[in-house]
Amino acid sequence: MLRFSLTQIRSQLRHYHQRRCSRRQLLTLDDRLLKDIGITRTQALKEGCKPFWQRSSCKRGPYENC
C-alpha cells in the first residue's frame, strides 16, 4: 500500500504547477527567443502541449533540477 505524506503531496503539486506554468510560457516565446534557448518551434510546441503530469523528454545538464 502506498503512503504519502502531506509534504510529499504538496511538493508534487508544486512541481505540477511549475511544469504547467513553464510550458505555457514556452508557447508564448517568439522564434528569436526559442533560438536563444536552443530549441525549434516544433520542439516548443511538442513540449508545451504535454500534460502537466508528464515529465519533460529533454536532456538536462548536471546542474539543473528535475
Side-chain angles (χ1 to χ4, degrees):
M1 180 174 190
L2 295 175
R3 293 181 187 219
F4 297 101
S5 71
L6 279 174
T7 304
Q8 289 171 318
I9 293 171
R10 194 175 319 137
S11 176
Q12 189 63 46
L13 289 173
R14 204 174 302 121
H15 285 292
Y16 285 164
H17 179 73
Q18 183 179 16
R19 275 189 210 143
R20 181 176 177 258
C21 291
S22 296
R23 288 177 178 164
R24 291 177 85 191
Q25 289 175 346
L26 187 62
L27 293 173
T28 67
L29 298 179
D30 63 22
D31 290 333
R32 180 184 56 83
L33 292 172
L34 291 173
K35 185 177 179 182
D36 283 348
I37 62 173
I39 63 172
T40 65
R41 169 68 54 199
T42 304
Q43 291 170 317
L45 288 171
K46 184 178 178 181
E47 186 64 32
C49 292
K50 283 184 181 179
F52 63 86
W53 60 84
Q54 283 186 347
R55 293 188 120 187
S56 177
S57 59
C58 66
K59 303 291 183 208
R60 298 189 188 284
Y63 303 108
E64 295 180 30
N65 294 329
C66 295

